[in-house]
Amino acid sequence: MSAASPQGPCYLFSSDTKTLKTTTTSQSSHFHKYKSVFPKCGLDQFRCELSSSFDNRWTVDCVTDNNPIHIILKPPSSMSMASSSTTLKQSKKVCLFYCAEMKALAERIASESDTIELRSITWRTFADGFPNLFISNAHGIRGQHVAFLASFSSPGVIFEQLSVIYALPKLFVSSFTLVLPFFPTGTSERMEEEGDVATAFTLARILSNVPISRGGPTSLVVFDIHALQERFYFGDNVLPCFESGVPLLKNRLQQLPDSDNISIAFPDDGAWKRFHKQLQHFPTIVCNKVREGDQRIVRLKEGDPKGRHVVIVDDLVQSGGTLIECQKMLAKHGAAKISAYVTHGIFPNRSWERFEHDTKGCPENGFNYFWITDSCPLTVKEVKNRQPFEVLSLASSIAATLHI
């Protein structure tokens, strides 16, 4: 009996019994007649049939120059194994709960994958206004991967969602993921004088104390958090996963007819630090904000916008004053078109109404496009079908993150 080949298990064919036996005792397989002739061996026709214990991607090599015949099983290629690994990842099933504001985004996320199943929560209040909440089919999520899609759009909706967020990991779930696309207190991270309260740190501490599930700490998914140092605000009981909406912008820019004439403008050094590595293949323009009394003036720091379709990129917009000043400055320096992208379109007090659509090739009067994501669902409802606004959905990015 011959030794096993380094390529895989070696099998010995006996011409007496026409039965193939493995040289190892842990596996066996029978080989029967097949429509193939081995002339050098003078053997009858036979076929090979693998037992179910073998992966069906393994291949068979028959070495016929000596008797007995060696049949060598080769393992799957690395590409096949990678494909198998991807399939296994995609087969992870997730029960996705969501707050009322995020229903539309939750439905889009579920449509991205058959393995994401929407689950409901009954959002009620008692007579005194405090939450009266109920998690439907709580027993049915035991041992499941569970996620919650949150929107902290105002202080009034945070407490009821935190109550659910703290309850879900304690229902014997395999893992718990909190998706909070917009971290709302991100702009309040500084303490410039004694008495200032850094509410970003406060919210991070609250989320860091979400109970641990059976699978370990809670995973927290946030898109384009405002200050890079805020990732260090979270404690060890939560695993922050920081994602970005910029890949959605890059895909959209490739679809534009003038995609080869686009420059990226950053309204300040902070925006440049956050995003320049993701957009380094585009010509770059950096602006600088200075205050003169009560006025905020934007100046050109580096780059040339002349004749270009300039896209201003930042993480969020509130009143929009900085973006409008940046638009005017770029138009003054010869930009042919001006568009804008922000991951989080907050727009308090309907400030989105300040942004006009450029329909006559006059960039000083308006924007060609203004892209936002659906991280702030209340804004999405307000600007829907209103130019220059266009919503890039985070659904596919969130669905991919839930399968990690």
Side-chain angles (χ1 to χ4, degrees):
M1 184 174 292
S2 300
S5 165
Q7 292 178 294
C10 181
Y11 290 85
L12 178 64
F13 184 90
S14 168
S15 58
D16 295 331
T17 61
K18 306 243 172 103
T19 300
L20 184 79
K21 298 182 180 179
T22 176
T23 59
T24 64
T25 58
S26 59
Q27 302 279 357
S28 65
S29 183
H30 298 285
F31 287 68
H32 307 289
K33 288 189 176 180
Y34 184 56
K35 296 178 180 179
S36 176
V37 179
F38 293 86
K40 291 184 180 180
C41 303
L43 297 177
D44 293 335
Q45 298 175 347
F46 67 95
R47 72 180 178 89
C48 305
E49 182 179 326
L50 295 179
S51 66
S52 59
S53 60
F54 288 103
D55 191 310
N56 59 13
R57 290 184 302 274
W58 286 60
T59 56
V60 178
D61 273 6
C62 300
V63 183
T64 62
D65 52 346
N66 291 310
N67 197 5
I69 299 174
H70 296 282
I71 298 187
I72 302 168
L73 290 179
K74 291 184 176 180
S77 67
S78 59
M79 184 176 297
S80 297
M81 294 177 73
S83 175
S84 175
S85 175
T86 301
T87 302
L88 288 174
K89 284 186 179 180
Q90 290 299 323
S91 66
K92 174 183 174 182
K93 294 184 178 180
V94 180
C95 300
L96 178 61
F97 293 88
Y98 54 91
C99 69
E101 287 180 14
M102 286 296 197
K103 181 179 180 182
L105 178 54
E107 290 173 345
R108 284 191 287 271
I109 294 170
S111 70
E112 293 286 333
S113 173
D114 293 336
T115 61
I116 298 177
E117 179 184 349
L118 294 184
R119 296 295 184 93
S120 62
I121 293 172
T122 303
W123 303 92
R124 302 171 299 196
T125 57
F126 291 109
D128 60 1
F130 275 83
N132 178 13
L133 311 171
F134 181 75
I135 300 171
S136 302
N137 191 23
H139 284 281
I141 63 172
R142 288 187 174 185
Q144 301 295 315
H145 298 287
V146 173
F148 181 78
L149 179 62
S151 174
F152 291 178
S153 59
S154 70
V157 299
I158 293 179
F159 177 67
E160 63 180 13
Q161 292 181 64
L162 284 176
S163 299
V164 171
I165 291 166
Y166 273 57
L168 285 170
K170 300 169 76 172
L171 294 176
F172 296 94
V173 301
S174 288
S175 68
F176 181 61
T177 301
L178 171 59
V179 183
L180 182 63
F182 173 48
F183 189 73
T185 58
T187 56
S188 303
E189 86 285 0
R190 297 177 184 172
M191 297 178 63
E192 296 181 347
E193 62 176 314
E194 191 67 26
D196 283 342
V197 177
T199 54
F201 184 56
T202 302
L203 184 56
R205 290 167 67 187
I206 292 172
L207 296 177
S208 296
N209 284 285
V210 174
I212 294 175
S213 69
R214 291 177 63 192
T218 294
S219 298
L220 171 64
V221 180
V222 177
F223 283 81
D224 291 319
I225 199 164
H226 180 67
L228 297 179
Q229 69 268 20
E230 289 173 1
R231 66 182 58 218
F232 304 110
Y233 289 2
F234 298 93
D236 293 337
N237 282 350
V238 66
L239 301 175
C241 177
F242 296 102
E243 299 288 345
S244 178
V246 169
L248 300 175
L249 170 66
K250 292 168 68 175
N251 290 338
R252 184 67 183 93
L253 293 181
Q254 291 175 358
Q255 300 168 8
L256 298 182
D258 58 351
S259 59
D260 59 345
N261 190 44
I262 290 174
S263 293
I264 300 297
F266 301 107
D268 53 33
D269 289 334
W272 179 84
K273 288 178 182 178
R274 279 189 290 272
F275 298 121
H276 79 279
K277 289 186 178 179
Q278 297 186 70
L279 297 163
Q280 59 186 337
H281 300 299
F282 294 92
T284 299
I285 298 165
V286 182
C287 306
N288 187 30
K289 290 188 294 187
V290 294
R291 290 186 180 273
E292 292 186 2
D294 294 333
Q295 287 186 319
R296 179 179 293 177
I297 299 174
V298 177
R299 294 174 178 165
L300 183 64
K301 182 178 179 181
E302 62 180 76
D304 184 8
K306 187 174 182 179
R308 307 286 292 179
H309 181 178
V310 181
V311 180
I312 307 168
V313 175
D314 209 349
D315 62 316
L316 59 85
V317 58
Q318 296 215 37
S319 67
T322 299
L323 290 181
I324 290 175
E325 289 300 317
C326 194
Q327 169 213 355
K328 292 177 180 178
M329 182 273 299
L330 292 168
K332 187 176 180 179
H333 282 80
K337 297 179 183 177
I338 299 174
S339 297
Y341 165 85
V342 295
T343 303
H344 312 295
I346 305 168
F347 296 117
N349 302 317
R350 297 173 63 89
S351 58
W352 50 266
E353 293 178 338
R354 302 178 63 184
F355 294 89
E356 299 294 334
H357 185 215
D358 176 19
T359 59
K360 299 181 180 180
C362 300
E364 66 273 11
N365 295 330
F367 289 79
N368 234 61
Y369 297 96
F370 198 124
W371 293 288
I372 63 173
T373 74
D374 44 7
S375 66
C376 300
L378 299 181
T379 298
V380 171
K381 290 181 180 179
E382 291 182 333
V383 304
K384 187 177 181 180
N385 300 323
R386 176 186 169 91
Q387 293 180 318
F389 294 100
E390 186 176 306
V391 179
L392 307 177
S393 182
L394 296 171
S396 60
S397 300
I398 294 174
T401 303
L402 291 179
H403 283 116
I404 293 176

